[in-house]
Amino acid sequence: MKSISALGVASAVSMSFLASQSVANAASIIRINEDAFTPDAGLITFSELPLDTVNPTYTPNLYGGGLNAPTVTFSGVFQGQTVGLPLFPPGANPSGVVNGTPTASLALNSSSPVTRITSDADNPTSPVLSGTPAFNGPVSVLFDIDIAGVGLDGGFFDAPLGTAITAFGRDGSLLGSVTNTGLGIEFLGLVTDDGQDRIAGLQFSLVGAEPAGFGIDNLRFGRAGQVTVPDTTPESVPEPMTMLGSLTVGAFALAFGRKKNQQKNLLAAKV
């Protein structure tokens, strides 16, 4: 009986601790799908400007943004960052690897490799935005006002876990990152865990091997209320004392049942 109760307490405490840890260590960014964006969220398809446009700038009127929509600008990396310096992830093309941490206030590095609107035969919704060299350079996105969520069609991927989008705050702080898990064209999206406007910039770069290069298309972004935050609440875990009480009641019932059976057997023997 004591061993059963001790096991119950230990298990309950362990599960309760793990649940509290998962909440305490929850990331500030949550991965989302394309359908998390409401119809009034921003959308840039890169067909709004001519091919070969370098480091395009999108004002709200250009992409159909509404009131308080951000102006969106592009370049290779942010100020404080460089491209192509070691250490390199295994198999990664150095020209697609970003080094360093952005400085505050977050701004694009005008001396970094440029981005360019270009055609991509491997993308069914071409044109796309590519870094430099073509399909082998990073793409950084700056919003002039903070947003809650952002996502894009990345690819064409020939290796999983090789390319990521990374969100930064206005002070250059890292908010979180999402990595491709499949091949071909894949939607990569993220939102702040509380749905509030804290994302100032996004970066698309290599974190591993990607043999055939990469570009972005159909950039989606939204402010608070324009992006649905997934419910990531962990399943409820019984309180330790509740579990202990259940175990105690069960053990008592088992002991009572055994005693009753023993009494029946004793009466039968007397007869």
Side-chain angles (χ1 to χ4, degrees):
M1 177 69 180
K2 289 183 179 179
S3 61
I4 294 176
S5 299
L7 178 61
V9 172
S11 299
V13 171
S14 176
M15 286 186 287
S16 179
F17 174 76
L18 289 174
S20 64
Q21 285 295 97
S22 65
V23 173
N25 296 333
S28 59
I29 289 297
I30 299 174
R31 183 164 192 155
I32 54 175
N33 296 321
E34 187 176 359
D35 58 9
F37 294 87
T38 64
D40 57 340
L43 171 62
I44 294 175
T45 67
F46 301 106
S47 59
E48 301 88 352
L49 292 173
L51 289 175
D52 294 323
T53 299
V54 172
N55 289 342
T57 294
Y58 286 86
T59 55
N61 64 299
L62 186 57
Y63 64 82
L67 184 67
N68 297 323
T71 292
V72 189
T73 50
F74 300 84
S75 190
V77 297
F78 296 109
Q79 289 184 8
Q81 295 180 311
T82 55
V83 180
L85 297 179
L87 300 169
F88 304 121
N93 188 329
S95 64
V97 178
V98 177
N99 318 102
T101 303
T103 55
S105 172
L106 193 69
L108 294 170
N109 186 341
S110 59
S111 63
S112 67
V114 300
T115 61
R116 187 187 307 270
I117 298 177
T118 186
S119 297
D120 183 0
D122 290 328
N123 192 314
T125 59
S126 178
V128 303
L129 189 70
S130 165
T132 301
F135 303 114
N136 279 288
V139 174
S140 295
V141 188
L142 181 67
F143 303 95
D144 70 333
I145 55 177
D146 291 352
I147 60 173
V150 59
L152 52 83
D153 290 334
F156 190 95
F157 298 129
D158 288 273
L161 309 179
T163 314
I165 59 171
T166 303
F168 295 98
R170 191 66 58 183
D171 61 355
S173 60
L174 171 66
L175 299 180
S177 184
V178 169
T179 307
N180 76 298
T181 58
L183 306 179
I185 304 298
E186 180 178 346
F187 183 79
L188 305 177
L190 45 78
V191 66
T192 56
D193 57 0
D194 57 3
Q196 297 304 303
D197 299 323
R198 290 188 283 117
I199 300 173
L202 185 77
Q203 192 163 77
F204 184 70
S205 62
L206 291 184
V207 292
E210 176 46 56
F214 54 96
I216 73 169
D217 198 10
N218 300 318
L219 178 72
R220 297 180 182 275
F221 47 92
R223 306 200 71 205
Q226 295 179 326
V227 189
T228 302
V229 180
D231 183 7
T232 59
T233 304
E235 294 183 6
S236 59
V237 178
E239 293 294 330
M241 292 310 297
T242 302
M243 291 188 66
L244 176 60
S246 300
L247 287 169
T248 303
V249 171
F252 176 79
L254 178 61
F256 180 79
R258 286 178 177 172
K259 184 175 181 181
K260 189 173 182 180
N261 288 334
Q262 289 173 353
Q263 290 176 340
K264 285 183 179 180
N265 294 335
L266 182 60
L267 288 174
K270 288 182 178 180
V271 174

